[in-house]
Amino acid sequence: MMLRLHDVLFSTPSPKVAANRGWGGVRVWYNDSNAGHVSYHPNTDSSPKNSQAAPIVRATTQSKSPVHVSPQLLCLVFSLQSTGIIIVTMAPVAAATIEPVPPVRPPTPPPSDPSRPLHTLPPPFTSSNLQLLAQGAEALVYKTTFLSPTTQCVVKYRPPKPYRHPTLDKRLTKARLLAEARVLVRAGREGVSVPTVLGADWEAGWLVLGWIGGGSVRAVLDAWADRVKNRIKAQEDEIQGQDPVEIGDEGMLDLMRRIGICVGHLHSIGIAHGDLTTSNIMLKSPSPDPPSTTNGQTPVQSSDSTGSAVPSLAGEVTLIDFGLASHMMAHAVDEEGAVDLYVLERAFAATHPAAEYLFAEVLKSYQGSWKGARGVLKRLDDVRLRGRKRSMLG
Amino acid sequence: MAIVRTFSLPHFDDYPVQVAMFTEVTNANFLRSQLLEANPEFDYAFLDASMIISSLPLFHAIAHAIHSVLSPTTSPLRTRTPHSEIVFRLHSNNNIGESYRKFGIADDTTNLIAIKLSLTPEVTNASVADHLTAVVQGVGVDEGEDGGQLGMFADMAKIRKVYKLNDVRSKGKVAKKPESKDQDEQTKVNERVRMERDIMGIMTLKGS
Ligand SMILES: Nc1ncnc2c1ncn2[C@@H]1O[C@H](COP(=O)(O)OP(=O)(O)OP(=O)(O)O)[C@@H](O)[C@H]1O
Ligand SMILES: [Mg+2]
């Protein structure tokens, strides 16, 4: 399969995807505002914002120079005049985003609507009824209401990127938003608990999703880790040598099983999440999605013996943030599924060393949740090994 | 006697929408003929209420129609008028004629939802109520302050068919027999919530 250079740029994963998937070697490629120039930033963290920082390789190629893409090897072979052959390993991208793009015209100055600063939302979201939740590299996320005063939602807005070619930027924004919405609708229809898709304007760059009341698994794990620390301290004061991980009570283990089943369900319908961190797994509070305000209860807060608040473990395990999700190609299911699990494992490990014990329960229930699970778990070992090698190299 | 409710959709507060629901309508053929003649007095979205599962899909269609009026550069109207856009938006495909056949009124429609956008200040709750009372032969039904009753005439089988939704209970595993009447009710409610959610997604992806 031959693609033109700018086609590849169009479908190159974002720095974040590349980092998440742990692809080594040349990691990040993106188009400078100059079409036809390719910058290589060896550091996955080098965001386009810092593109002033001198790249190690800056090669000028004609945007027409052919690039060979091998879907089997999942790698791109770039031929650059100055540096010879560079192999770029990358994850396969959603089929929808690999589409021919008309030749990029000479760059025009970045689009700027001087009447509106970049970080305000486009119409109709101009009222004060907006609460900023997150401002990531890709999207702004606000909480608001939509369609009815009681329908709480989030608006995900992808602002234009001034350093990108305007036409390319529009297409990219639209393709990514659409891909996210399509995956959400598909997953929802297959019975995976995800936010409802309430509305969108692809050209304007916004997508409205139903609100998931309830906390994240990350909050649950953090609270659990605090309890573990307290317990270990108490044990050091009293009886020694008892296994601290026994603190994982039945409620936590049950939650882990539900997470494993949910991820397995998602993989079983051929979708990889792409950013499966513990913040992106929520516990949806029991009240229905469009809540009738009369009994829109917040999740119950119970207390443990030490009296500190414990986030509720009740609520349906619900996945959010499908901005990096993709339909897995048949030959890549093991790999993409394993990368999802690996990302989740790292997120658990970052909470507390003892969380490994909880994650084992996630994997156990994942294994029994769908028929492709064995292959994925087998591949997980390879992915872990790659990850370890990478961290040894620094 | 028309019962008209005025809704202000969040972020579209300057453009309220007037909604009236009727049952036992006997002159749908007349109303339809006025639409076909493009009589300016009949600039409404007249919908077959059996195709509306709940307020949310209807509000989605209305919100996106108003949005198209306000933001034509990113979301141009794809039909002639904001009211026809509402009918168009409800369907999952891009065929305007088919949208009217499935969601608009037919000569034998008895359960009707009439929608009028207040895009200009003359269009008020009272003006719409007067006009509809004069022209619709039927019984006004109150859809509730929050539009909670807008799905009361929903024909689930027809809706499932038009959006190509599988019957959850007939798909895959055979569902367990409900153990009690309460449980059966709960299953029905859950299914409705599920269908509504799927429809919202399908409508959003329309034409993409
Ligand atoms: N449907 C939702 N219901 C409730 N909260 C949500 C919802 N979607 C997003 N959030 C909140 O907003 C945050 C950011 O949303 P999301 O992760 O989708 O955006 P993002 O820009 O892709 O972020 P990231 O930087 O993680 O890629 C989430 O971590 C969550 O706290
Ligand atoms: Mg996130």
Side-chain angles (χ1 to χ4, degrees), chain A residues 295-309:
Chain A
N295 60 354
Q297 291 161 341
T298 43
V300 195
Q301 302 270 317
S302 60
S303 288
D304 67 1
S305 49
T306 62
S308 58

Side-chain angles (χ1 to χ4, degrees), chain A residues 16 133-134 136 139 141 154 156 195 210-212 275 280 282 320-321:
Chain A
K16 197 168 164 198
L133 293 179
V141 181
V154 299
K156 258 188 126 158
W211 178 253
I212 306 298
D275 189 16
N280 287 337
M282 312 261 297
I320 63 163
D321 191 2

Side-chain angles (χ1 to χ4, degrees), chain A residues 16 133-143 153-154 156-158 180 194-196 209-214 216 275 277 279-280 282 318-324:
Chain A
K16 197 168 164 198
L133 293 179
Q135 181 167 4
E138 295 291 324
L140 293 161
V141 181
Y142 289 85
K143 181 180 182 185
C153 69
V154 299
K156 258 188 126 158
Y157 173 54
R158 289 175 173 271
E180 180 168 0
V194 296
T196 309
L209 305 175
W211 178 253
I212 306 298
S216 67
D275 189 16
T277 61
S279 322
N280 287 337
M282 312 261 297
T318 301
L319 304 176
I320 63 163
D321 191 2
F322 282 72
L324 302 175

Side-chain angles (χ1 to χ4, degrees), chain A residues 123-125 127 144-145 147-149 151 178 181-182 185 188-191 196-204 206 290, chain B residues 8-12 56 59-60 63-64 67 71 74-75 163-165 171 194 196-198 200-202 204-205 208:
Chain A
F125 303 102
S127 73
T144 184
T145 54
L147 304 182
S148 91
T151 308
L178 254 173
R182 285 200 182 110
V185 172
R189 293 189 67 172
E190 297 284 351
T196 309
V197 175
L198 293 174
D201 181 339
W202 319 113
E203 304 293 333
W206 54 262
Chain B
S8 251
L9 309 190
H11 309 288
F12 299 99
L56 273 194
F59 290 163
H60 169 106
H64 285 76
H67 178 59
S71 303
T74 59
S75 178
Y163 291 109
K164 302 189 176 75
L165 303 173
K171 185 188 157 192
R194 234 192 115 138
E196 183 192 67
R197 192 203 48 208
D198 293 348
M200 298 304 289
I202 290 167
T204 305
L205 289 177
S208 65

